[in-house]
Amino acid sequence: MKINSGVGALINARNTAIDKTLQNTSQSPEKITEQDQQIILKNSSPINSEAEALRGKSDNGKLVTLTYTRSGRLDLPKRYEEHRELIERVANSTSKLYLHDTPAAADRMAEQYESILASLREEIPQLDHLSWGFSIDTSGKLIATGHLNQTQKEIVEEALNSNEKLVNAAQDFKSHFLEGLQIERGSAGTSQYWGKYDVNEENFTDIIDFKEMFEQSWSSEEHRETHGYLINKWEWTANIADQLRARAEPKFAK
């Protein structure tokens, strides 16, 4: 499995939960399932210290922290080396989909969307009373969806696509999201979580609605000050899961 060296320090897994998961699979690697991703998701946070990011920690042979070296290789204690591919898949997909790359791209989008929405409300006074959304198509262009007339659609799309930062962040979101789904499925091609849904370049527009994503996951002022995110990651995760359940086929379910 090729590791993206740009991923950097991904997961700081707190002691018992992840160690218990990996200890229980030390005799049988096939027992590590997609459930392990949920454990890492609930018991992890980004590593901020560069020194910490370059050290693989172990405590009497127990895996305490998942870290990456400068070359992008997961730094594992020897006892887990035989399970490297499986551990890398769980760690990388969890980071890319749920913890870091994709939600970070969503937050970059949120920074731009707030100001764009304010200007759109001036141009289309009834906008808040219309059922509409927006997504990204196969060419990387942002497109308006829902119940807008042609003039309204053109105004919204022009405003969205005129913001280069918003477009770039949306493109990154889609790229990270689709890559994360592939990583999560692994060589078996199946998953119990987001990876089970058939989302691809062609149907992404029909499944993921960015406007809905923002409306359902805006952070409170207190949350923004504490966590530094415009979106609430937990609410964001719940909304993406809802959108997948509502519009995507679980083609790759176990």
Side-chain angles (χ1 to χ4, degrees):
M1 178 178 180
K2 183 177 180 181
I3 306 173
N4 181 355
S5 60
V7 171
L10 301 180
I11 308 292
N12 177 25
R14 296 190 186 95
N15 249 332
T16 56
I18 186 171
D19 181 62
K20 181 179 180 181
T21 300
L22 297 175
Q23 275 189 309
N24 289 343
T25 58
S26 61
Q27 300 300 319
S28 180
E30 65 272 14
K31 289 184 181 179
I32 301 180
T33 69
E34 302 299 336
Q35 288 181 329
D36 305 335
Q37 288 179 298
Q38 195 72 358
I39 292 174
I40 293 177
L41 175 62
K42 290 182 178 179
N43 296 277
S44 55
S45 58
I47 301 171
N48 295 319
S49 166
E50 183 177 4
E52 290 294 305
L54 300 178
R55 277 199 300 135
K57 286 186 176 181
S58 63
D59 179 12
N60 295 323
K62 297 179 181 179
L63 185 60
V64 178
T65 303
L66 300 184
T67 61
Y68 285 75
T69 65
R70 290 185 184 278
S71 66
R73 183 175 173 79
L74 187 63
D75 193 359
L76 291 173
K78 289 184 179 180
R79 67 175 295 189
Y80 296 108
E81 187 62 40
E82 64 180 300
H83 308 309
R84 172 174 290 278
E85 182 177 358
L86 207 49
I87 295 171
E88 284 175 348
R89 177 168 64 85
V90 171
N92 286 348
S93 62
T94 298
S95 175
K96 185 163 288 290
L97 280 176
Y98 309 105
L99 294 181
H100 297 279
D101 297 12
T102 305
D107 206 62
R108 285 164 48 211
M109 291 180 66
E111 292 178 4
Q112 307 304 317
Y113 178 67
E114 278 192 308
S115 60
I116 291 175
L117 186 59
S119 64
L120 281 174
R121 283 169 173 155
E122 294 180 1
E123 292 193 64
I124 310 175
Q126 69 272 37
L127 189 64
D128 286 341
H129 304 291
L130 298 174
S131 177
W132 67 282
F134 75 99
S135 190
I136 186 169
D137 65 12
T138 55
S139 70
K141 177 183 177 182
L142 298 178
I143 62 169
T145 60
H147 300 108
L148 298 174
N149 62 38
Q150 188 59 35
T151 299
Q152 293 166 340
K153 186 174 186 295
E154 290 175 359
I155 292 173
V156 170
E157 288 185 351
E158 181 179 358
L160 295 173
N161 286 289
S162 65
N163 188 305
E164 185 177 355
K165 290 183 178 180
L166 176 66
V167 174
N168 289 340
Q171 292 172 347
D172 287 345
F173 181 105
K174 181 179 180 180
S175 175
H176 293 319
F177 188 81
L178 295 182
E179 183 182 357
L181 296 181
Q182 290 288 346
I183 295 173
E184 186 174 281
R185 293 171 195 144
S187 58
T190 59
S191 170
Q192 294 179 352
Y193 295 99
W194 290 1
K196 71 183 178 183
Y197 293 104
D198 182 18
V199 187
N200 52 58
E201 286 284 348
E202 287 69 34
N203 68 12
F204 186 93
T205 305
D206 300 321
I207 296 171
I208 301 300
D209 183 338
F210 292 134
K211 178 174 177 285
E212 177 187 332
M213 175 182 76
F214 294 134
E215 289 179 346
Q216 298 299 318
S217 60
W218 285 122
S219 287
S220 64
E221 288 298 327
E222 181 180 358
H223 189 276
R224 292 184 184 190
E225 291 179 4
T226 303
H227 300 280
Y229 260 59
L230 294 177
I231 61 170
N232 181 308
K233 280 190 179 182
W234 300 108
E235 296 297 334
W236 172 84
T237 301
N239 176 254
I240 295 297
D242 287 344
Q243 293 198 47
L244 292 172
R245 280 193 294 269
R247 307 184 189 113
E249 177 188 359
K251 181 178 178 180
F252 306 104
K254 283 189 174 181

